[in-house]
Amino acid sequence: MKTIDSIPVSKIQRASKLVTTGAKVGVNYLKYYGDKLTKTEDQARATLNENNAEDIYDSLKQLKGSALKVAQMLSMEKSILPQAYVEKFSLSQFSVPPLSPALVLKTFKNYFGKLPHELYDSFNSTSVNAASIGQVHVAEKNGKKLAIKIQYPGIAQSIASDLALVKPIAMKMFNIKGKDSDKYFKEIEGKLIEETNYILEVQQSKEIALACALIPNLLFPQYYEELSSERIITMDFMEGEHLSEFTARNKNQEAANTLGQALWDFYMFQIHNLRKVHADPHPGNFLVSKRVELIALDFGCMKTIPDDFYIPYFELAKPENISNKAYFLTKLYELEILKSNDSKEELDFFTGMFHELLSLFTQPFHADTFDFSDADFFGKITDLGQRYSKNTELRKMNGNRGSKHFIYMNRTFFGLYNLMFDLKAKDIEINNFKNL
């Protein structure tokens, strides 16, 4: 894979890159209008989506950092984005052009004050894995194989300016309006800042690994604080294949069920027992060992769940509460989905919309076991998401709905559901975490 010798760091450099990409998107639309003269609308639209996804991702992968992280988050929105975008943006999870070896050594020296060979017995300056915020290298010390995660230069300093650049796109995509929309972007900015603090990540990683050690078929690397810093993490190198690679080839239902139960228990234990959750559940953050054990990585994005959100959020997972209209309305207000100044039209529309969404989305919690390989269930989720994303009535209303905590909680559940479906896990015991 081609390497990168430099990353645009200044606000002007990064903005210029996006402006150039915008021009390419404009050309793609001109081609689209031409294609409509000789092709069907569906064919022309498919070509447009493929070209735009290619050009936008090509720009973001060179910028890295927050801009690429947004693409990673959007890649999980399979019910909203066209497939071409999902496929291209999914590459940001674990497959982007890495820094060149020369830039790696320079960056390491800047961060740690020493070159890698002064800390490790051996260090491979060619990356084995590159994602949105950092890339991973293999090293050895005292006979132990280690993974060294190095943050891209300038990423932490560019978060605010990157979000300012992508904010208009996100607001249009998710129909966010109003002066209080800043609370959502502040939530994202805060989490991205935390993700660039590798000292915090090591601390969170050790806490989660210790708390979840009792979950069967789940493994974590050991982290080494003395060989880590604010921009570098040293941990055990974990042998395994990415979860997406495993799901693509796996034909063993028992293995799928074992991994699915471990994954589900991992998330339910965190959410309900720790009230803090690994809010970045994409395939690049999980490996599968040869012994069919799930290996969890990368705890930079952890979401703390306050009681005033946790309680109403999970009360609406109960079918008897969803069917109780008065109670249901009360919880919608508590979760900031409904507002005191809503018109009758808005009140009726959003009540109906969220009743439909929650009735479907909470189905796994309505039984003792659930079949996450059920294509009909996931097809309904996709159809519902696409229907509301195209709803002209909704576009006229303020989509600025819900507590800021929804951003990472919804991301967690959408990501978890997608991983469970990719695994084709069946007969998952929903409340098994209570027995741990």
Side-chain angles (χ1 to χ4, degrees):
M1 182 182 290
K2 185 179 179 181
T3 60
I4 294 176
D5 294 317
S6 65
I7 296 175
V9 174
S10 74
K11 183 177 180 180
I12 293 176
Q13 288 175 320
R14 296 176 78 80
S16 297
K17 187 65 182 176
L18 289 178
V19 169
T20 302
T21 304
K24 290 182 180 179
V25 169
V27 171
N28 292 339
Y29 270 97
L30 291 177
K31 292 179 181 177
Y32 160 70
Y33 294 127
D35 283 345
K36 292 208 312 184
L37 299 175
T38 58
K39 300 177 181 178
T40 67
E41 167 63 24
D42 287 346
Q43 290 173 329
R45 176 65 65 175
T47 300
L48 172 67
N49 288 339
E50 288 174 6
N51 290 339
N52 280 348
E54 177 76 31
D55 289 335
I56 293 171
Y57 180 69
D58 185 60
S59 172
L60 296 181
K61 73 183 182 183
Q62 294 178 55
L63 290 174
K64 298 187 180 289
S66 306
L68 187 57
K69 193 72 179 181
V70 170
Q72 186 186 92
M73 293 171 71
L74 291 175
S75 74
M76 305 305 291
E77 301 289 349
K78 297 181 180 180
S79 62
I80 296 175
L81 286 183
Q83 185 62 26
Y85 288 88
V86 172
E87 290 177 358
K88 186 59 67 173
F89 288 2
S90 293
L91 295 175
S92 64
Q93 295 168 3
F94 53 80
S95 180
V96 297
L99 304 183
S100 66
L103 185 54
V104 166
L105 297 179
K106 179 182 177 182
T107 301
F108 196 100
K109 179 70 180 289
N110 288 340
Y111 287 159
F112 222 105
K114 296 180 179 180
L115 288 168
H117 73 265
E118 297 179 73
L119 295 173
Y120 312 106
D121 297 334
S122 68
F123 178 87
N124 188 340
S125 58
T126 300
S127 168
V128 294
N129 189 5
S132 55
I133 291 178
Q135 63 185 47
V136 177
H137 295 259
V138 176
E140 283 193 11
K141 189 176 179 67
N142 299 327
K144 178 167 284 190
K145 192 174 182 180
L146 302 171
I148 318 301
K149 185 161 73 168
I150 303 174
Q151 192 173 126
Y152 301 128
I155 295 305
Q157 293 76 28
S158 65
I159 291 173
S161 58
D162 277 1
L163 285 179
L165 291 171
V166 301
K167 182 177 179 180
I169 301 171
M171 291 184 73
K172 184 176 182 181
M173 179 175 289
F174 297 105
N175 199 34
I176 298 173
K177 306 171 185 175
K179 60 183 181 181
D180 60 340
S181 63
D182 279 347
K183 67 181 181 183
Y184 301 116
F185 293 97
K186 288 294 183 185
E187 174 78 354
I188 294 172
E189 182 179 353
K191 279 282 162 279
L192 289 173
I193 290 172
E194 287 181 8
E195 286 194 67
T196 63
N197 182 348
Y198 282 1
I199 293 176
L200 176 63
E201 181 175 338
V202 168
Q203 176 188 333
Q204 291 178 157
S205 301
K206 295 179 74 171
E207 288 175 356
I208 292 297
L210 179 62
C212 298
L214 73 172
I215 299 174
N217 304 305
L218 183 64
L219 301 176
F220 304 90
Q222 183 176 345
Y223 294 83
Y224 301 94
E225 292 174 278
E226 69 278 8
L227 294 171
S228 301
S229 71
E230 193 175 2
R231 305 284 183 246
I232 293 173
I233 295 178
T234 298
M235 69 190 92
D236 287 339
F237 185 92
M238 305 298 284
E239 300 285 353
E241 62 181 328
H242 284 293
L243 189 58
S244 57
E245 296 169 340
F246 174 85
T247 57
R249 66 163 184 79
N250 181 55
K251 304 296 182 184
N252 186 323
Q253 187 61 56
E254 184 179 353
N257 294 348
T258 296
L259 292 169
Q261 189 68 61
L263 182 64
W264 184 260
D265 289 347
F266 177 47
Y267 273 89
M268 292 306 103
F269 185 88
Q270 290 177 86
I271 290 170
H272 297 294
N273 292 23
L274 307 180
R275 301 291 174 89
K276 179 184 284 190
V277 67
H278 177 246
D280 200 10
H282 65 75
N285 281 342
F286 293 96
L287 302 176
V288 177
S289 74
K290 289 182 178 180
R291 296 174 59 183
V292 194
E293 297 159 308
L294 189 69
I295 302 169
L297 308 168
D298 196 342
F299 294 91
C301 184
M302 295 294 300
K303 172 62 184 173
T304 298
I305 314 168
D307 284 349
D308 60 359
F309 178 82
Y310 171 88
I311 293 171
Y313 187 86
F314 284 100
E315 283 180 342
L316 286 184
K318 301 174 182 177
E320 64 270 21
N321 292 338
I322 295 176
S323 60
N324 184 329
K325 186 175 181 180
Y327 189 87
F328 184 74
L329 284 173
T330 299
K331 297 304 165 186
L332 291 188
Y333 279 110
E334 286 183 31
L335 292 168
E336 302 175 45
I337 292 169
L338 296 179
K339 305 178 180 183
S340 59
N341 61 348
D342 277 341
S343 64
K344 185 179 186 304
E345 180 187 19
E346 289 173 322
L347 182 65
D348 291 342
F349 181 86
F350 285 109
T351 299
M353 173 182 172
F354 279 91
H355 188 275
E356 187 176 16
L357 287 170
L358 289 167
S359 296
L360 174 61
F361 199 71
T362 60
Q363 280 186 19
F365 297 96
H366 299 170
D368 293 333
T369 62
F370 193 77
D371 179 3
F372 284 96
S373 69
D374 183 1
D376 182 59
F377 170 69
F378 286 91
K380 288 178 180 177
I381 289 178
T382 299
D383 291 344
L384 196 61
Q386 291 179 345
R387 174 153 55 86
Y388 278 115
S389 70
K390 298 174 182 177
N391 189 293
T392 54
E393 187 179 359
L394 176 59
R395 302 301 297 181
K396 297 175 185 176
M397 299 180 184
N398 186 358
N400 180 4
R401 298 276 159 176
S403 162
K404 67 179 183 179
H405 303 297
F406 270 112
I407 294 175
Y408 283 94
M409 284 302 293
N410 284 355
R411 179 189 180 193
T412 297
F413 271 105
F414 271 107
L416 175 60
Y417 278 18
N418 282 328
L419 292 180
M420 296 294 288
F421 179 63
D422 290 344
L423 275 167
K424 299 296 184 287
K426 297 181 179 180
D427 303 319
I428 299 303
E429 296 180 35
I430 298 302
N431 293 310
N432 187 59
F433 73 96
K434 295 180 180 179
N435 302 321
L436 299 174

